[in-house]
Structures are given as structure tokens and as C-alpha cells.
Amino acid sequence: MSSSSSRLHPIPVSLGRLDLQKTHTFAIPIKRINDGADVSSFLSSKAYAHIMTFLLQLNASLYPRIIRSESSSEEKVQAWELDSPDIKFSEAVVRLRELLRRLEAIIDEVPPDSGPRRFGNMSFRKWFEIVETRLPGLLGECLPDMPTVGHAEPQAVKPQDELMSYLIGGFGSAQRLDYGTGHELSFLAFLACIWMLGGFPQDEPGVEERGIVFGVIEPYVSTSLGIGTISLKGNMSDLHMIHYRYLNLVRRLIKTYTLEPAGSHGVWGLDDHSFQPYIFGSAQLCPPISSLNQLSPEGSLFGAPDPGDVAKAAVVHRERKRNMYFGAVGFIYDVKKGPFWEHSPYLFDISGVRGGWAKINKLNSQGNPRGNKDTMGGGNSLANSDTANSGFMGKETSSNSVNSHSMDKGDGATEG
């Protein structure tokens, strides 16, 4: 498999931050997508542009980098694995991990009910209720410090109110007892809003973004404890800063409360629950780049596992400890039985794509190999999350238009 490509394509600019010199109006998200026309409106909205920009910004930060020595002409390649000691975690990332730690601890307070139900343990509603009750206080303690943003009126909805809606929408539906890609997208919107509000520090391009992905989104995996838990490098007192990630929390929710896949296409979908790990994980295995200005559309990192290895349980077991793509596939192995090609035909199809991991990354972030966008970051997992906003994270008051958000997972919603 080729390790590089002569053709490059530019990446989008990074997500902007709100102008703190202006007054903004915020709103509680409401459901906006009800039919096909609403989907079309969403795909041309600022909200869609913002969330896709942030997604691709995080994606680009995970491409391996070519590092040139200042004292010589030698070059080395820096790849980003889940247990890499070179990942920098800011104070904002550490605080969000503490938030996730406290939310996961609530699972221990609410054991699943015993009973014959195959999907949807009723105790999930109790967990959700406790989270809703405690979340205002938890956000007050654990949200990153953010600059003060002006409001149109003193009694108006505050940024934290909007943030809380996206966050609670990231854990599934207490009504339907399910979880899917739209909920995962809601959590990404929560992080994007924090970025727009200036909650993440400005650093060299890619540094903070990698910290967000590896410090907040991806779960902790330990070679010493087995699958599901990357060996701890450092003092055991740092365990609380390393263990807790968003995907770890939701995967535990899924298994503890047997949450049903939300709006799943069954074997005709990419994954019952996730799409982001496939984007970020394939980026980890792409050809190295010298800057974030351009990404290779084809090729793979030298020594990367073959895409077809997703059908080999032993390779998945090994690679899930350091790569997000294989980590997501590993979770499928945890919860599904039978031949891989049978229960995950889309992933099996993707594993045969020619062009290496860079080609797979492009497909993952822009559309799938069957010519549509219903399972990837560029398609219905976004549209079906009901995020058809007129603004996304506030509107300037001077525009005379109040932002109408909608990460709500109501009955009319479907997940990608």
C-alpha cells in the first residue's frame, strides 16, 4: 500500500470564535428537522458549516506529521496513537474529563433493573433524571473558564444554558431508551460551542485539537488491564485525568442499560452508535504531512495495519489499544456475534477501498463508498440529529434574528 501521494487537497479553516466585543443572543435548542425540506435547509445553514468545520479541524490534527530537525536535514514522522506521551492536555480538557468522570460515577448509583427486556433498561431513565438534576452544578464546577459574553438582556438565555442542552443530548434518549449518531453529534456540538466561546486555549494548530480528541472523546484502553481499559504512563494519581472519556461513558451506558440503537439502519448502516471514531481513527493512519495546510487524499502511514484487518479479531484486539477506528470496530466485536462481513457489511466494504487510509478518511468525512452520505460525518448523522439552526451558538444582536437551535432528540428524530 502506498505510503504517500503526490496530490494534496486543502483542509477547511478552523472554527472561528465569537466576537466578544459584540452582544449575542442565545437560545435553548429546539427540534427543527421534520421533513426532507428541513434537511435541505439544515445542509445550507451556518450550523452545518460550523459543525463540519470543527469536525474536519479535529480530523486534520490527527494526521501524522513530518518533523524536520532544525540542526540537520533529517526528518522523522510523528504519529498520534492513543497512548502517545506527546499529546498535550490543557486545563480545559482536564476539567471536561472530570465532568465525564462524575457523570460515569452516577452509573454506579443506578444499577440496571432485572428483567427480561432485550433493549432499554428502565433504570436509564433514573440515571438520566439524576444527571439532569446535577448537571447545572457540575457545569458550574467543571466547565472550562470562558471569557464573558455579552447578552441582549440580563434575563436572556445564557451560553451555559445552551451548552447544557447539547451536553444532555449527547447521552441518548431517556424517552426511547436509545443512543445513536445524532446523540454523538450533540456532544461534538457541545465541544464546538466551548471552542466558539473561547473555552479552549489557543495553541499551535493541531495541539489543542488533538488534546480534545484524545483527552475528551476517546476512551481509555490499558494493555495491562485488557481491552476497554492504554497502559498508564506516570503516577497513579493521574489516573482520574486519563481514564474518563466520552466514548467510554456512552459505551458503558449502552452495555449497562442495553440501549437500543437509535434510528439504526441495521446492517445497512456504518455503525449502530458512532461515526466520529471512524473519521478520527482513519486520520491517525494517513500519510504524514508537513503542515496542516494540505492533506494527502490517498496513501497510508508506513507500517499501518491493512484496512482489511478489521475482519481479523486478533488484529482488532491489538490495534484498538492505539487507534480509534479499530477501537470502534472492537466495540462491535464486543456486542455482536457472527462473521464480520455479515453484521457490518458497510465497514467490510470500506475495508476493500483502494487508496489506503487517506482515501477511507476522505470517504468517512465526506461520504461513503456506496455513493451516499447516510452514515458518515457529511450526511444524515448530521441532518438526522435535528440541528437545523439559523445560527449555532448565538447570533449577534445586531442581526435582529434569534438563534433557533435543535439538538433535541424528539419522537420525530432519526439517527444516522
Side-chain angles (χ1 to χ4, degrees):
M1 189 176 296
S2 173
S3 61
S4 63
S5 174
S6 60
R7 296 180 294 116
L8 302 172
H9 66 277
I11 66 168
V13 296
S14 63
L15 181 62
R17 300 172 192 262
L18 293 183
D19 186 346
L20 301 180
Q21 302 303 315
K22 297 181 179 180
T23 301
H24 300 269
T25 300
F26 301 89
I28 302 299
I30 59 174
K31 179 175 170 59
R32 283 301 211 187
I33 295 179
N34 297 291
D35 54 34
D38 295 332
V39 173
S40 298
S41 297
F42 169 63
L43 294 177
S44 60
S45 69
K46 288 184 179 179
Y48 179 83
H50 287 165
I51 198 68
M52 284 300 296
T53 297
F54 189 61
L55 178 71
L56 296 177
Q57 178 183 343
L58 298 180
N59 176 67
S61 74
L62 300 180
Y63 266 60
R65 298 293 299 273
I66 298 174
I67 301 176
R68 294 181 173 86
S69 173
E70 296 181 358
S71 58
S72 67
S73 59
E74 294 183 357
E75 295 180 346
K76 70 174 184 177
V77 173
Q78 171 70 69
W80 312 108
E81 297 185 348
L82 295 181
D83 59 350
S84 173
D86 300 312
I87 304 297
K88 177 181 176 182
F89 298 130
S90 67
E91 176 64 23
V93 168
V94 172
R95 294 183 73 165
L96 289 173
R97 279 198 299 230
E98 174 62 16
L99 172 63
L100 294 171
R101 184 192 71 80
R102 297 192 191 186
L103 293 174
E104 185 168 341
I106 298 175
I107 297 176
D108 298 325
E109 300 179 29
V110 190
D113 292 336
S114 59
R117 289 177 64 100
R118 181 186 174 200
F119 285 119
N121 192 284
M122 300 297 288
S123 288
F124 178 63
R125 291 177 178 167
K126 179 63 175 178
W127 179 89
F128 208 93
E129 180 183 327
I130 294 174
V131 169
E132 287 184 310
T133 301
R134 297 182 188 176
L135 203 53
L138 289 175
L139 288 180
E141 295 179 34
C142 300
L143 266 185
D145 293 328
M146 291 177 282
T148 301
V149 180
H151 304 91
E153 302 175 7
Q155 294 79 23
V157 175
K158 296 179 175 57
Q160 287 78 3
D161 299 326
E162 193 170 317
L163 281 172
M164 185 160 59
S165 295
Y166 289 124
L167 178 59
I168 196 67
F171 303 124
S173 170
Q175 179 182 4
R176 297 191 307 273
L177 304 176
D178 63 14
Y179 175 90
T181 55
H183 301 109
E184 184 185 62
L185 178 69
S186 187
F187 186 76
L188 185 68
F190 167 72
L191 297 176
C193 290
I194 293 176
W195 181 279
M196 294 179 71
L197 288 166
F200 292 111
Q202 298 189 41
D203 208 319
E204 294 181 14
V207 173
E208 186 64 14
E209 290 89 339
R210 282 189 293 273
I212 292 171
V213 175
F214 289 159
V216 180
I217 298 176
E218 174 59 24
Y220 169 69
V221 186
S222 174
T223 54
S224 61
L225 297 178
I227 287 182
T229 60
I230 312 172
S231 57
L232 185 63
K233 298 177 182 292
N235 193 290
M236 282 302 293
S237 64
D238 292 332
L239 179 61
H240 75 284
M241 296 196 304
I242 293 179
H243 185 103
Y244 298 95
R245 310 288 203 275
Y246 170 70
L247 289 177
N248 189 73
L249 169 56
V250 297
R251 288 170 183 170
R252 188 176 172 195
L253 287 173
I254 290 167
K255 296 179 76 171
T256 301
Y257 302 118
T258 56
L259 299 184
E260 188 170 3
S264 172
H265 297 288
V267 298
W268 304 117
L270 176 74
D271 187 292
D272 285 340
H273 305 106
S274 292
F275 71 93
Q276 293 175 41
Y278 298 101
I279 297 174
F280 300 143
S282 56
Q284 290 177 263
L285 302 174
C286 285
I289 58 175
S290 56
S291 74
L292 290 175
N293 293 328
Q294 293 181 311
L295 307 179
S296 300
E298 295 183 356
S300 297
L301 177 69
F302 180 79
D306 188 88
D309 288 341
V310 296
K312 302 174 182 178
V315 178
V316 172
H317 182 100
R318 180 188 73 221
E319 296 298 327
R320 71 185 296 181
K321 300 177 178 69
R322 50 195 178 214
N323 179 264
M324 294 181 69
Y325 193 103
F326 283 89
V329 172
F331 184 68
I332 293 177
Y333 275 91
D334 292 342
V335 298
K336 292 187 177 182
K337 307 299 180 184
F340 186 80
W341 61 266
E342 189 174 85
H343 60 62
S344 302
Y346 260 39
L347 283 171
F348 187 74
D349 280 1
I350 293 171
S351 70
V353 169
R354 295 182 179 181
W357 286 106
K359 183 70 171 181
I360 291 174
N361 181 254
K362 184 177 180 180
L363 292 170
N364 281 352
S365 58
Q366 298 178 22
N368 68 42
R370 297 192 181 190
N372 57 63
K373 296 182 177 182
D374 67 324
T375 57
M376 304 292 192
N380 283 354
S381 54
L382 288 174
N384 289 344
S385 67
D386 302 332
T387 325
N389 311 346
S390 62
F392 191 72
M393 203 58 230
K395 295 280 288 185
E396 295 174 15
T397 303
S398 59
S399 68
N400 297 319
S401 174
V402 176
N403 191 15
S404 54
H405 289 55
S406 54
M407 282 304 236
D408 171 59
K409 303 295 183 303
D411 285 340
T414 57
E415 309 298 334

